[in-house]
Amino acid sequence: MQQQEPEGLRRQLLLEEPEYEPAYDPSEKVHVVCVGSDRTDGEETAAPFSWRKLWMFTGPGFLMSIAFLDPGNLEGDLQAGAIAGYSLLWLLMWATAMGLLVQLLAARLGVATGRHLAELCREEYPRWARNTLWVMAELALIGADIQEVIGSAIAIKILSNGVLPLWFGVVITAADCFIFLLLENYGVRKLEALFAVLIATMALSFAWMFGDAKPNGKELLLGILVPKLSSRTIQQAVGLVGCVIMPHNVFLHSALVQSREVDQRKRGQVQEALRYYSIESTAALVISFIINLFVTTVFAKGFYGTPVAGSIGLVNAGQYLQEKYGGGFFPILYIWAIGLLAAGQSSTITGTYAGQFIMGGFLDLPVKKWLRALITRSCAIIPTMIVALVFDTSEKTLDILNEWLNVLQSVQIPFALIPLLYLVSQERIMGSFKIGPAMKTFSWFVAALVIVINGYLLLDFFSNEVDGAVFGTAVCTFTIAYVTFILYLVSRGFTFSAWQRPNPPKEIAVEDN
């Protein structure tokens, strides 16, 4: 009766193919009642907004927002506040907005294709390139996880009055992460409810600190609305932007949105899912911005312009807060520790979650989820335990390690952003949900800005750290290979924008280039 378009046929074939393990089994997905507005006559009308549907789609965005609230971000916040005062609050706001754009594109990719970023990278790139992307994603995840586990261990050490050493806190965090993940067996919504509790704990803890600090309202408002940047605060500014976009979070969000039942063959369902996910993700990141704002302003009010401003880090921040604001009804040291513990615990769970999707997507291994979680968790816990044992008695050394881990995150950002922008621009992958020319141009501009900012951070860091001919040669060799691979990814994206392959990746006989 009617001839199906090649694009529609391709997407139907992808949906019916049982060859790959989906991010969520059909039995695990949340059933959304009356999704979409497709009619039998082929016409589509916009369904009215429903608070009930928004509630049913609420969850993935808040899990994603945890990456904006992990211990690495909190350290960036407190250092920005202590050294730059209120002057970088505007940058925090716009960095969060850039992060929101990236996450909305990741959600768009997952909803429109029914596949997540790691899976599509496996299909779209030759073996050597996708293996490189996988290694980079795993390194980014391990680096982030070390920061998150160490953050939790520091909080546990504070709450135990120093009785429990750093390494013991690492063991506790490693164990309870698996306990929390068991909640997934009782349904995705149970796990999402846990994250809601942890985010609420962070919000209440840091809001309490905000109230104790009593920051200057006028200076706070000016800091948000009036852009200021000086040579003295450039390093904190760059670090603030670098902390917001986490490479593993891009992979994670493209998979999390598949936890709801959406039929990719029905345009109305995809449109509606994208609308509700956009609202939910925006709300989640607004809350994360407010929490980060609380932390920055507390340290801006208490330590900006003081002799100790440059020496405050994640390890000693609680003690400095205690000395500045005193005990009170509930000592601020413990309030800080509770917020830090909630941030560390939630981010380690999402890190393990992301590791499952990254490994499963890139390698397509027929491994059960619990075993995949054990493997990815071990990759982070073993080096973290070594770090905890070596650096437990040295705050300064631990802060230096954290700087290196931030650099590791910055190095990995292009390897998540560039494939994402390439994929969401392709009609043969996204169908009618590909981004338009204006959004494509703006997205590439934002990605280039983030990459340049992080490139500055890397240049500044290595120019200060590189010492000796051997180390210098190694850094130069790595830099050349790094830039070459980025150029390859960019050129491939623009080349394939002009040349569309007529058949889907799984239909092609030759797998690798």
Side-chain angles (χ1 to χ4, degrees), residues 231-248:
S231 58
R232 188 172 57 85
T233 61
I234 187 69
Q235 188 172 2
Q236 282 68 43
V238 171
L240 205 60
V241 175
C243 285
V244 168
I245 299 179
M246 307 290 283
H248 71 273

Side-chain angles (χ1 to χ4, degrees), residues 78-89 230 232-233 236-237 300 304-305 309:
L78 66 89
Q79 290 177 344
I83 296 174
Y86 301 95
S87 66
L88 294 181
L89 293 179
S230 66
R232 188 172 57 85
T233 61
Q236 282 68 43
Y304 176 59

